[in-house]
Amino acid sequence: MPAADEKQRIRSIVRALRREYPEPRCGLVHESPFQLLIATILSAQCTDERVNQVTPGLFAKWGAPADLATVPLPLLEDEIRSTGFFRNKARNVRGAAQAIVERHGGEVPATMAELIDLPGVARKTANVVLGIAFAKAEGIVVDTHVTRVSQRLGLSDATDPVKIEQDLMTRLPRSEWIWFGHALIWHGRDTCGARRPACERCALARWCPAARP
Ligand code: SF4
């Protein structure tokens, strides 16, 4: 497709998606950047609904970095067990809290470089925190939904999330970065499911090379 047509196609996708999902919205309940960071770490391989069932109890007991930094691991594991991979997550959650206390004065850092230096934090988690908690567009959230929908829409043919993020950053203006990742997550949940994409009612079907009749 000529470059001008491809740019027009992407603009059309963005416009149609914006009508469906006007604001960047995160499904994880949180009251601070720190709670969002911890909830996002817990959301790996787990649904937001499940995480939202666990975090109120977790944050009621250990809601601040200094509290979580010293909690005994077995207690923490018990508290977050239902989110899956709980041993790893407990180590990462406590490790991130410790690093925030020791290296950042108890405040969640607001740069990509500092965030991905925390235990258990890769670009996806960092982009969620930067975009939602700090309104900073340093990248685009790429999770399993964004991966699948980007591929179907022909926005990336990569499988590596970092490469997909680069493809999306190249194709979209920076002003759309925060919103776009979250919009694709919701579109993947609501319409473009892994097994049965609902192309017949998809607002993007006109511009989607993977649209089924
Ligand atoms: S047309 Fe189908 S495959 Fe394409 S984005 Fe919509 S639901 Fe997904």
Side-chain angles (χ1 to χ4, degrees):
M1 189 185 287
D5 291 355
E6 177 61 3
K7 275 194 174 162
Q8 185 53 49
R9 187 182 79 91
I10 293 172
R11 268 199 295 272
S12 300
I13 289 171
V14 166
R15 246 197 319 268
L17 200 58
R18 179 74 80 173
R19 276 194 290 271
E20 304 272 303
Y21 305 102
E23 299 295 331
R25 190 161 61 85
C26 175
L28 296 166
V29 177
H30 62 279
E31 290 178 357
S32 67
F34 179 68
Q35 291 189 1
L36 178 59
L37 172 70
I38 299 306
T40 309
I41 292 174
L42 295 178
S43 73
Q45 314 284 326
C46 183
T47 64
D48 287 0
E49 290 73 22
R50 170 67 64 186
V51 173
N52 289 340
Q53 287 167 5
V54 167
T55 47
L58 176 70
F59 296 142
K61 289 178 183 158
W62 309 292
D67 306 324
L68 260 181
T70 54
V71 63
L73 271 182
L75 286 184
L76 186 51
E77 289 173 358
D78 270 353
E79 194 73 30
I80 65 170
R81 182 178 298 263
S82 66
T83 67
F85 303 96
F86 61 92
R87 292 212 165 83
N88 240 343
K89 288 181 183 176
R91 268 199 308 277
N92 286 334
V93 161
R94 195 176 71 169
Q98 287 170 341
I100 287 168
V101 170
E102 288 163 13
R103 303 206 295 263
H104 302 287
E107 300 290 332
V108 174
T111 67
M112 176 64 75
E114 290 170 311
L115 280 165
I116 60 175
D117 206 31
L118 300 173
V121 178
R123 286 191 65 92
K124 188 204 93 172
T125 298
N127 275 319
V128 171
V129 173
L130 286 171
I132 297 293
F134 299 118
K136 283 178 76 175
E138 289 201 34
I140 297 177
V141 175
V142 176
D143 73 345
T144 171
H145 299 291
V146 177
T147 296
R148 180 178 70 256
V149 181
S150 298
Q151 291 165 342
R152 287 177 177 166
L153 285 170
L155 299 176
S156 177
D157 55 13
T159 52
D160 171 35
V162 174
K163 179 71 177 59
I164 292 170
E165 186 186 353
Q166 284 167 356
D167 287 341
L168 295 177
M169 288 161 73
T170 305
R171 286 170 168 79
L172 292 155
R174 194 178 193 120
S175 56
E176 307 284 12
W177 287 3
I178 295 173
W179 161 79
F180 191 77
H182 290 279
L184 276 203
I185 291 173
W186 287 106
H187 188 66
R189 286 176 179 162
D190 296 343
T191 308
C192 191
R195 295 205 180 152
R196 282 171 43 86
C199 303
E200 69 284 353
R201 59 172 173 80
C202 177
L204 313 183
R206 273 176 66 194
W207 306 282
C208 178
R212 297 182 190 177

